[in-house]
Amino acid sequence: MRAVWKGTIGFGTYAVPVKAYSATEEHNLPLHQVHEPDGGRVRVKWVCEVDGAEVPAAEIAKGHSVPSGDVVLLTGRDFASLLAPTTQSMDVIGFTPAEQVDSMYFARSYYLEPEPAGTKPYVLLSEALQQTGRIAIVKVTLRRRETLGALRVRDQVIVLETMLWPDEIRRPDFPFLHEDVDLRRGELRNAVSLIEDLTQDFDPGRYTDRYREALEALIQAKLDGDDVLQPTAAEQAEGVTRLLAALQQSSVEADRAPVEKAKEAAEKARQARTRAKRASSSTKTG
């Protein structure tokens, strides 16, 4: 794994040096947009809506549009001038019972590995979090943006869970929430009983991504049946045609070369005979 962040956890008088690694990954099959008739890859071009010109990457900047239609242009220098905390420290701002933090706040997970010099304070923090049943609330800067986070322990490893800010959690507002729904005691009792009967320990290994498995099987079946497109077939065929034409031209030129050389030699001999006759004539006249 490649570390995505390197810094310290600020915990009281401790500064625990750690490295962060992405704890999750998605296993989706790569699917691309292609041209249906020939399978050619469809590429996206960035076009300016003002003049219709294709925009090179070097001319693409960030901007904020306002209701009037004006755009506030933001340059790299503008972003660099923003007041941001240090990117090399993760400050613990408090501790809270784990059950009080709704999992909806969690965004992404990162494993934290201690540097050799910080192993002991790292283990100390890990054990303290486990024994108290608490998680640490932190602030950390990832990808040049400050984010809220939580430190929890999983399999003896401290995990950083980046969190959404409170105003990023939507509040549900559905009609049924404002209605009085009459539930009978017998119905509720039966539902509770069924849930208890079906309750079992969570074993993630029992669950598989059936869609991905079916998609892999479908792709393999098409490969086995030779149901594929060859996007470069026309280009390759054209290349073969050009190669054969070049070889044929070379062959013609090779066959023509001896004839041309013979003609050239005959012409040189004729010219030599003409010069000899002229020289002989001049001698007799003299």
Side-chain angles (χ1 to χ4, degrees):
M1 292 188 292
R2 183 176 63 87
V4 299
W5 183 87
K6 184 177 180 179
T8 60
I9 302 174
F11 170 52
T13 58
Y14 293 106
V16 186
V18 296
K19 291 184 290 187
Y21 303 84
S22 293
T24 60
E25 59 184 2
E26 296 184 358
H27 291 165
N28 294 326
L29 290 177
L31 298 176
H32 308 291
Q33 290 184 324
V34 298
H35 187 207
E36 185 175 356
D38 55 22
R41 183 80 174 270
V42 176
R43 301 288 182 177
V44 175
K45 292 185 177 181
W46 300 100
V47 178
C48 176
E49 65 179 18
V50 175
D51 57 15
E54 185 175 350
V55 182
E59 295 181 7
I60 296 178
K62 293 184 181 296
H64 176 72
S65 300
V66 294
S68 65
D70 295 334
V71 175
V72 179
L73 182 65
L74 299 171
T75 66
R77 183 177 299 178
D78 293 326
F79 286 108
S81 67
L82 293 176
L83 180 62
T86 175
T87 60
Q88 301 303 315
S89 67
M90 185 186 307
D91 298 324
V92 177
I93 56 179
F95 298 89
T96 190
E99 64 272 11
Q100 290 187 8
V101 181
D102 193 323
S103 60
M104 186 176 287
Y105 279 96
F106 296 151
R108 298 197 64 178
S109 304
Y110 298 88
Y111 289 129
L112 299 184
E113 177 194 24
E115 298 281 10
T119 300
K120 185 174 182 178
Y122 177 98
V123 173
L124 174 62
L125 176 59
S126 173
E127 289 295 329
L129 289 174
Q130 292 180 82
Q131 290 190 22
T132 59
R134 301 292 193 269
I135 61 175
I137 304 300
V138 301
K139 280 188 177 181
V140 59
T141 299
L142 294 173
R143 297 179 179 87
R144 298 190 301 178
R145 181 181 177 184
E146 185 182 65
T147 184
L148 197 63
L151 300 183
R152 65 181 183 89
V153 181
R154 182 178 188 272
D155 296 334
Q156 306 302 314
V157 176
I158 297 177
V159 177
L160 166 65
E161 302 278 5
T162 58
M163 300 173 66
L164 300 172
W165 296 101
D167 61 355
E168 294 177 322
I169 302 294
R170 293 178 174 175
R171 290 187 175 277
D173 186 13
F174 303 114
F176 82 91
L177 294 174
H178 308 287
E179 299 175 0
D180 292 330
V181 180
D182 183 23
L183 293 179
R184 297 180 180 179
R185 288 186 178 181
E187 294 171 339
L188 181 57
R189 186 166 51 250
N190 288 338
V192 171
S193 178
L194 286 172
I195 290 175
E196 290 179 346
D197 291 342
L198 296 173
T199 298
Q200 56 188 339
D201 292 336
F202 176 64
D203 179 11
R206 298 173 54 211
Y207 309 103
T208 59
D209 186 349
R210 293 190 299 173
Y211 176 83
R212 181 167 64 91
E213 292 174 350
L215 182 58
E216 288 177 340
L218 175 61
I219 292 175
Q220 188 59 49
K222 285 182 174 287
L223 287 172
D224 294 341
D226 200 26
D227 185 7
V228 296
L229 297 174
Q230 296 180 324
T232 61
E235 183 179 346
Q236 292 175 4
E238 183 180 351
V240 171
T241 302
R242 289 198 301 266
L243 175 60
L244 292 177
L247 291 175
Q248 184 176 5
Q249 181 65 26
S250 298
S251 176
V252 171
E253 292 177 354
D255 293 340
R256 187 181 300 166
V259 176
E260 295 296 332
K261 288 182 179 179
K263 289 181 178 180
E264 184 178 350
E267 179 62 23
K268 288 182 178 180
R270 187 187 65 77
Q271 292 176 358
R273 289 195 299 270
T274 301
R275 288 195 297 270
K277 289 180 180 180
R278 290 176 181 174
S280 176
S281 301
S282 299
T283 302
K284 292 179 180 182
T285 303

